[in-house]
Amino acid sequence: MTMHPVRWLHEELPKLVQGGILDPAAADRLKQHYGPPPRSPWKTGAMVLLGTLGSMLLGGGIILLFAHNWEALTRPTKAALAFALLIMAQLFAGFAVLKKRDSAAWTEGAAVFLSGAVVASIALIAQTYQIVWEIDQILLAWVLLMAPLVYALLSRMTAALVWVGSTWWLFAKMEIRDDLVYGLAYLALAALAVPFMVQQFRSHRDEGRTLLLNWTAGLALALGAIRIGVESGDPWRLVLSGLFGLLFLFGVSLEIDGESGAWWRAPFRSIGAIGLTVMLFLFTFREMWGDDMGGTETSDVLTVFLIGIALCALALFGGYRLIRDQRYHQAALLLTPALALIGLLAGRFTNTPSIMAVLANLAVLAVGLTLCIHGFQHHKLGTVNGGLVLLLAVFLARFMDIDLTFLVRGVAFMVVGAGFLAVNGWLYQRSRKEVAS
Amino acid sequence: MNTRNLMIALFAIAVIAQLAVPGWLLARHETVLRNGEAYRFECMPVDPVDLLRGRFVALRFSEMQADGIPDLDHGIDELFVTFETGEDGFAQVAGAFADPPEDSPHLKIGKYAWRSLANGEIHIDLPFDRFYMDENVAPEAEAAMRRRGRGAREAYLEVRILDGRAVPVELYINGKPASELRGQLN
């Protein structure tokens, strides 16, 4: 690792003074001119991590302590404790806002601690007064009261908590009433953190905290999409594949100069791709194309169908643009929303489930091969393996459907496994040769 | 206003809002506890856990019905119920109204009421379905109530009602507050 020039200068100055090259006053003037050496990024990262973890544990411990529901404490004492905790956390955060704005460890730690104190004080008052509040009401209050802290303390961890709280709220709310309108409310709630995320993404794209925030947001969105998809009744295939398709396309649009970076640096793209792939795999089963998947009773099914169609159409338009840019390996994943749309159109013909399952198997074959070819061409072992795993998974699933003896199955498994190892070995050798040359 | 002042102002607003929400909750419910009318609702406790608010005793109440509501113009979302104390000492529904009655303590039922398709009667689920208590006592209370058949234990929830709101005060088992029954139930 190369040393930061200012740190290097600070290490060199005493030697220069000792060697008589610089007099101490000049050395001091140089030190003053360049300022103190910056902390190493890993040190800052570790401090932020420890500060945040410490705050989370402290806040969590206090919540659990209160949750014991001390019978010895009177109602006013419990109420006073709730406020004391909140005010203490606010003073701590106020100090960070006024005096420690440049220390990420302080601002992140204080913001997370205050976020915990907010929910703890509401929960404690609710417990003390036996308030008939459902958990979704507490979560909604929590997210709304926590959101300003994201901007006041520029806290990426709190922004991640806004996503966690919003998603938890969606699950809690839909448990009580499965109306899809809450899906929109969820997006509006989580969107409170979005302007801050955009700003952080522009200025600190590759920092660990930004990645952590984006992974949290991506996973929260995926969970939210699944919850909404499950509740959307018959159009679930359209809604879910459309949502995953758009998440994937959003991730792709964030790539710099069209370069696909490592999967862990692109959370939205990775989570969207996994969602699309898993759905495509599920589509290969005949049962997934049946009519009766349960679902909502409160929402207008026709509206949900129209929303699902719109989501898929948008995803397919994105897919068309990817094809235009010759990014076939990414466009192939959008076969999932395409299948969902075909399934809707083909719904009027007899025996649709079987036809759709066959089409889905062909689509998996296409995606797997496209990924393998792209991986081979660009020497990406991970992409090749992704394609192979997909092909293997669908092969094994179909193989299980057919009534064969264990002997035949065993031999087939061995052949496929050996093929897998051989391809990997060959690719590894090839990449080593390339590195050597 | 520069960015720093904007952040400080935002923080100040957040601080006030964070204090206001629990403060508002406290004030609302303290009023009911001080000025509300007390009723006893016979109940059956079971013991689950709430992740945020600790252990509570979930309560099952005997089914309550309200009939004879002449005009329910506002739909089932707006239903106001008054209670009276029966001969057994427990609360029973005295009347159900589409508008809040002015001179008697009433409870807003809203989403906790449903209309029977069979006979058109209004069925009421009481909105206070839980009682938070010490984590050591809650399972004991529940275990004692499970054996109610053999030991014939009596349980009721004392609730204060005012202006549409209800605040549970204490859960009683065999005439004693459940919080005082630690170690005495088994």
Side-chain angles (χ1 to χ4, degrees), chain B residues 41-42 59-69 72 75-84 91-98 106-117 119-129 161 164 166:
Chain B
F41 291 88
E42 193 177 15
L59 304 167
R60 305 261 177 279
F61 295 92
S62 340
E63 187 164 274
M64 293 200 159
Q65 286 167 14
D67 42 29
I69 303 167
L72 207 59
I76 209 87
D77 285 341
E78 293 267 313
L79 185 68
F80 300 89
V81 177
T82 55
F83 297 97
E84 61 188 8
Q92 58 192 41
V93 175
F97 308 90
H106 58 271
L107 182 63
K108 187 178 172 185
I109 296 288
K111 62 179 176 176
Y112 299 98
W114 49 280
R115 190 193 282 277
S116 160
L117 287 173
N119 53 18
E121 282 178 342
I122 306 290
H123 291 248
I124 294 162
D125 295 329
L126 293 168
F128 35 84
D129 58 353
I161 292 176

Side-chain angles (χ1 to χ4, degrees), chain A residues 376-400:
Chain A
F376 278 129
Q377 282 176 342
H378 296 84
H379 314 305
K380 288 181 178 168
L381 196 61
T383 312
V384 175
N385 273 324
L388 283 177
V389 165
L390 187 59
L391 292 174
L392 191 66
V394 83
F395 170 77
L396 293 180
R398 293 298 78 77
F399 199 64
M400 290 296 184

Side-chain angles (χ1 to χ4, degrees), chain A residues 156 200 203-212 265:
Chain A
R156 280 171 259 183
Q200 293 299 308
S203 52
H204 309 287
R205 184 187 175 113
D206 284 330
E207 273 186 23
R209 274 184 296 154
T210 311
L211 274 180
L212 189 63
R265 280 183 183 278

Side-chain angles (χ1 to χ4, degrees), chain A residues 67-69 71 75 79 83 86 90 93-94 98 101 118 123 127 129-133 138 145 148-149 151-152, chain B residues 4 7-8 10-11 15 17-19 23 26 29-30 33 53-54 127 131-136 167-168 179 182:
Chain A
H68 173 76
N69 207 338
E71 56 181 302
R75 210 171 64 225
F83 279 95
L86 180 61
Q90 287 178 334
L98 293 172
R101 274 206 321 148
V118 166
Q127 181 204 66
Y129 285 90
Q130 306 286 347
I131 292 173
V132 194
W133 259 24
I138 292 184
L145 293 173
L149 301 179
Y151 297 89
Chain B
R4 184 170 185 268
M7 283 165 76
I8 293 171
L10 188 64
F11 180 70
V15 161
Q18 286 164 0
L19 288 169
L26 185 146
H29 290 80
E30 194 65 51
L33 282 177
R53 286 164 291 183
F131 189 78
Y132 293 94
M133 56 196 304
D134 187 296
E135 64 176 328
N136 297 319
V167 178
S179 54
R182 193 169 181 174

Side-chain angles (χ1 to χ4, degrees), chain A residues 151-379:
Chain A
Y151 297 89
L153 285 134
L154 300 180
S155 165
R156 280 171 259 183
M157 297 297 108
T158 312
L161 283 180
V162 167
W163 277 98
V164 172
S166 308
T167 312
W168 192 358
W169 172 83
L170 178 74
F171 276 73
K173 192 75 201 172
M174 283 201 149
E175 195 64 40
I176 298 165
R177 206 169 151 208
D178 54 356
D179 196 326
L180 284 182
V181 79
Y182 297 129
L184 293 175
Y186 159 66
L187 290 178
L189 200 57
L192 288 172
V194 169
F196 172 75
M197 288 175 72
V198 172
Q199 187 233 330
Q200 293 299 308
F201 189 79
R202 282 186 182 146
S203 52
H204 309 287
R205 184 187 175 113
D206 284 330
E207 273 186 23
R209 274 184 296 154
T210 311
L211 274 180
L212 189 63
L213 168 57
N214 289 344
W215 269 103
T216 311
L219 287 171
L221 266 175
L223 283 174
I226 291 169
R227 189 73 185 90
I228 294 165
V230 166
E231 284 312 329
S232 47
D234 277 348
W236 73 274
R237 287 174 291 261
L238 291 165
V239 173
L240 202 47
S241 58
L243 285 172
F244 275 126
L246 292 181
L247 186 63
F248 173 71
L249 286 166
F250 173 64
V252 170
S253 74
L254 296 177
E255 289 173 359
I256 302 169
D257 302 329
E259 272 298 309
S260 311
W263 65 271
W264 57 273
R265 280 183 183 278
F268 298 111
R269 191 191 71 202
S270 301
I271 294 166
I274 290 169
L276 287 172
T277 315
V278 169
M279 282 203 69
L280 188 58
F281 177 68
L282 289 177
F283 282 178
T284 64
F285 292 89
R286 216 178 149 272
E287 296 77 11
M288 287 292 138
W289 295 96
D291 282 335
D292 187 28
M293 291 298 290
T296 179
E297 289 169 8
T298 48
S299 292
D300 182 356
V301 177
L302 181 66
T303 314
V304 182
F305 261 116
L306 290 176
I307 292 173
I309 291 169
L311 290 171
C312 285
L314 271 174
L316 289 185
F317 178 68
Y320 159 73
R321 292 187 61 162
L322 286 175
I323 291 174
R324 210 181 53 187
D325 296 343
Q326 297 184 328
R327 300 169 79 161
Y328 303 115
H329 64 294
Q330 289 178 331
L333 286 173
L334 295 162
L335 280 172
T336 310
L339 271 178
L341 271 179
I342 295 171
L344 175 74
L345 297 173
R348 297 188 179 282
F349 302 107
T350 50
N351 204 16
T352 319
S354 300
I355 296 168
M356 289 314 301
V358 170
L359 282 179
N361 277 288
L362 292 174
V364 169
L365 205 64
V367 174
L369 287 175
T370 315
L371 286 178
C372 286
I373 291 167
H374 178 80
F376 278 129
Q377 282 176 342
H378 296 84
H379 314 305

